[in-house]
Amino acid sequence: MANVVVVGAQWGDEGKGKIVDWLSERADVIARFQGGHNAGHTLVIDGAVYKLHALPSGVVRGGKLSVIGNGVVLDPWHLLEEIKGLRAQGVEISPETLMIAENTPLILPFHGELDRAREAQNKVARIGTTGRGIGPCYEDKVGRRVIRVADLADEATLSLRVDRALTHHNALRKGLGLQPIDRDALIADLTAIAPEILQFAGPVWKVLNDKRKSGRRILFEGAQGALLDIDFGTYPFVTSSNVIAGQAATGTGIGPGAIDFVLGIVKAYTTRVGEGPFPTELFDADGQRLGERGHEFGTTTGRKRRCGWFDAVLVRQTCALSGIDGIALTKLDVLDGFDTLRICVGYELDGKRLDYLPAAADEQARARPIYEEMEGWHETTEGARSWADLPAAAVKYVRRVEELIDCPVALLSTSPEREDTILVTDPFED
């Protein structure tokens, strides 16, 4: 039985939530493997809208096990609020349907305070973080001073971990003009919330390996997009975790050999939230039109997304980095009505043509897109569920995208509704 990894292949916001929900019907387990509640997935099911941040998209599907892996950083208070909100919408969440890895790092209030304080004082180059503490928590993980879910079960261990973290953070806070952290209040807050979090805790690595051996299908759900990867993204304007498909293994404790198919989610145009380079960004009426038609506002932050033409160079690059076997092309309907469409097929940098985005930040900022123009279409693609429902020009556009990114389309999404999907290759049956 195939196990599938779903990753964003642009700067996030590609429509992963709908695709993961669509695939979750075929899966037994849905696992998040990186990121935090800075991610945002919107699901539309039978007219009901669910907005998820920390929880895997599969949690709204009955009879599935949803997993938060060790590669995630978790704000426990936000998680409980998210669970409360979903329960109010009629979603059942219990230890039978949700498991959190025991070694998952916890985002604490001082992580968010540090995140926001540093961003506010960064006059050189703002990163554009969500200010939710994700970066500082990952820093503590690497610095071996983070508090993990399992630490909540033992008072002595928790006290030791808190002291180690505060030795570091209080020194930082002094330099930023922030008050020292109230140690006793923090421990009291963690002790109070511990039973609610620990009821979901378990050895995720063992459960996933056992599920695999018994023939269960596992769907690994990525957050953000590959161009925000800490190593391969547009550094430093990136997230603080590895976003590419290889993280699915280390972020859950399952070997890379367990991954059978990597599905990359790709929008039919390009968007980005926050700071950083964006070669195909549009500042004209076309960019405004893409944003309005695509409802381009962040699920988590509400921030307006920057919009631009499809960048085949970047997607070809991310497909290679994640070993993507097929893409799910989303929001094709947003392109309805354009007379002419443009696709970036290369960059011009200092008089030379490049077929990839270089790693150096100054070169990324200077890279200029080389476009190929294609005829648009005026018929609607919204709600199409077969190739026969698509205008000829739309099919031609999709086929050209496949050629340019050197990767086939496995699914084509034509609206937020999960049924409005054209299946070319079922990742679970490939």
Side-chain angles (χ1 to χ4, degrees):
M1 306 294 281
N3 297 318
V4 177
V5 176
V6 174
V7 291
Q10 293 163 310
W11 275 293
D13 307 308
E14 302 96 348
K16 290 183 293 297
K18 170 195 167 172
I19 301 300
V20 169
D21 174 63
W22 192 87
L23 289 169
S24 67
E25 248 185 8
R26 297 164 171 78
D28 301 295
V29 182
I30 298 90
R32 274 280 309 272
F33 59 84
Q34 52 77 220
H37 63 301
N38 55 340
H41 291 167
T42 300
L43 308 180
V44 181
I45 303 172
D46 298 328
V49 178
Y50 302 94
K51 294 186 181 292
L52 305 177
H53 302 277
L55 290 167
S57 294
V59 78
V60 299
R61 292 285 162 193
K64 314 289 181 181
L65 175 62
S66 290
V67 166
I68 295 176
N70 57 277
V72 173
V73 287
L74 184 67
D75 182 324
W77 293 278
H78 180 277
L79 176 70
L80 294 179
E81 282 299 312
E82 191 171 331
I83 290 173
K84 180 181 177 181
L86 287 174
R87 283 174 173 165
Q89 290 186 271
V91 178
E92 180 186 350
I93 301 175
S94 69
E96 285 69 44
T97 62
L98 175 65
M99 176 176 283
I100 304 171
E102 299 168 313
N103 51 340
T104 298
L106 295 178
I107 300 173
L108 303 182
F110 58 76
H111 288 128
E113 292 170 6
L114 175 60
D115 203 358
R116 295 186 291 273
R118 289 197 301 205
E119 187 76 352
Q121 295 189 19
N122 191 349
K123 306 300 182 184
V124 179
R126 293 174 61 88
I127 301 299
T129 75
T130 60
R132 300 190 173 210
I134 280 76
C137 186
Y138 274 117
E139 290 176 39
D140 279 359
K141 175 181 177 178
V142 176
R144 293 166 291 186
R145 55 181 172 267
V146 82
I147 294 162
R148 307 196 296 182
V149 168
D151 299 330
L152 298 176
D154 182 73
E155 184 177 338
T157 299
L158 179 61
S159 179
L160 183 65
R161 296 285 188 268
V162 167
D163 286 343
R164 181 174 175 82
L166 298 198
T167 298
H168 173 80
H169 279 274
N170 279 332
L172 278 179
R173 293 170 71 89
K174 183 176 182 180
L176 290 167
L178 300 175
Q179 292 296 313
I181 298 163
D182 187 330
R183 174 189 182 278
D184 293 340
L186 175 60
I187 291 178
D189 289 343
L190 287 170
T191 301
I193 205 172
E196 297 182 80
I197 298 299
L198 288 171
Q199 65 175 316
F200 300 109
V204 159
W205 68 269
K206 184 179 187 304
V207 170
L208 291 184
N209 278 279
D210 288 345
K211 294 284 188 183
R212 182 197 175 203
K213 289 176 182 177
S214 63
R216 299 290 186 249
R217 290 172 165 175
I218 305 171
L219 184 62
F220 298 91
E221 177 184 3
Q224 288 97 26
L227 293 169
L228 296 174
D229 186 271
I230 188 67
D231 288 307
F232 294 103
T234 48
Y235 190 90
F237 305 100
V238 293
T239 193
S240 297
S241 62
N242 284 111
V243 183
I244 59 177
Q247 178 64 19
T250 54
T252 59
I254 198 164
I259 298 170
D260 300 297
F261 193 99
V262 179
L263 181 69
I265 315 300
V266 179
K267 202 175 284 185
Y269 49 101
T270 311
T271 62
R272 166 161 212 174
V273 171
E275 309 296 326
F278 185 170
T280 65
E281 184 173 9
L282 295 171
F283 302 94
D284 58 9
D286 286 338
Q288 181 74 14
R289 184 177 180 182
L290 288 172
E292 290 174 354
R293 294 206 58 190
H295 305 290
E296 296 297 350
F297 295 91
T299 301
T300 299
T301 64
R303 290 185 292 180
K304 183 178 179 181
R305 298 178 186 134
R306 302 154 63 188
C307 297
W309 295 120
F310 185 81
D311 192 329
V313 182
L314 285 180
V315 175
R316 183 171 62 245
Q317 192 164 322
T318 57
C319 283
L321 289 167
S322 276
I324 291 174
D325 297 295
I327 67 165
L329 191 65
T330 68
K331 290 199 168 185
L332 182 67
D333 55 299
V334 174
L335 300 182
D336 292 353
F338 281 89
D339 292 324
T340 302
L341 301 172
R342 306 178 89 186
I343 300 177
C344 177
V345 296
Y347 303 125
E348 186 277 323
L349 179 63
D350 301 335
K352 296 180 180 179
R353 178 166 178 152
L354 294 180
D355 62 355
Y356 68 97
L357 187 68
D362 64 312
E363 292 182 346
Q364 290 178 352
R366 297 200 315 275
R368 295 293 174 260
I370 299 171
Y371 285 116
E372 176 181 294
E373 292 191 347
M374 296 191 68
E375 180 185 357
W377 57 88
H378 290 275
E379 305 94 325
T380 183
T381 63
E382 184 175 2
R385 298 184 183 180
S386 72
W387 288 108
D389 296 333
L390 297 176
V395 174
K396 186 177 180 181
Y397 181 83
V398 173
R399 294 308 187 199
R400 185 56 179 152
V401 165
E402 289 180 311
E403 292 174 358
L404 291 170
I405 67 174
D406 194 26
C407 188
V409 169
L411 296 94
L412 187 63
S413 172
T414 56
S415 92
E417 292 292 338
R418 70 191 304 270
E419 292 81 7
D420 294 338
T421 305
I422 300 172
L423 176 64
V424 181
T425 302
D426 188 336
F428 281 120
E429 300 296 338
D430 184 67

